[in-house]
Amino acid sequence: KEFEVLADLIIYNYVVVWERTQSEDNIIGKYELHYKLGEGSNSIVRLAINSETGKKMAVKIIEKGDVASLARLDTEIKAMMMLKHKHVVRLQEVLESTTHV
């Protein structure tokens, strides 16, 4: 019970900070991007809410790099689209801009 209260406080603080920095740059397609959930060497994972359904999901944002990076990214996307396992996050959709995937 105490853990849940602490988790709620942490999430509330993220939401407050997020709302202060919200802009139109935080909308990708039908997804409203919220606070950062994590990051890797070349990507950031953010909480996103589908504006049509209200469903929460994680969005991985990857900066486009050179041709070799794009080839690795293409391989990762294809593998994730085929992968279906109850303990692995499933790829729902791929969106692309001029600078990010």
Side-chain angles (χ1 to χ4, degrees):
K1 184 73 177 167
E2 293 167 354
F3 177 76
E4 290 176 14
V5 171
L6 180 60
D8 287 342
L9 283 171
I10 291 169
I11 290 171
Y12 174 77
N13 284 329
Y14 271 111
V15 169
V16 168
V17 170
W18 170 255
E19 288 174 348
R20 287 186 198 145
T21 61
Q22 184 134 6
S23 71
E24 289 191 24
D25 293 341
N26 294 317
I27 296 174
I28 297 177
K30 60 186 174 188
Y31 300 99
E32 210 176 281
L33 298 180
H34 291 271
Y35 54 86
K36 180 171 69 172
L37 298 171
E39 64 184 290
S41 60
N42 65 344
S43 65
I44 295 174
V45 178
R46 290 176 63 179
L47 171 68
I49 298 177
N50 184 318
S51 60
E52 296 170 358
T53 65
K55 185 175 180 181
K56 292 179 182 179
M57 49 186 54
V59 172
K60 184 176 185 179
I61 302 167
I62 304 168
E63 253 188 76
K64 287 184 177 178
D66 57 23
V67 174
S69 297
L70 290 176
R72 280 194 306 272
L73 178 60
D74 188 49
T75 302
E76 180 181 349
I77 289 170
K78 286 177 183 172
M80 297 237 3
M81 289 177 85
M82 293 186 303
L83 187 62
K84 291 182 181 165
H85 190 277
K86 64 181 179 179
H87 297 297
V88 177
V89 175
R90 203 172 111 218
L91 180 65
Q92 298 284 330
E93 184 176 5
V94 177
L95 301 173
E96 186 175 2
S97 74
T98 56
T99 58
H100 293 85
V101 175

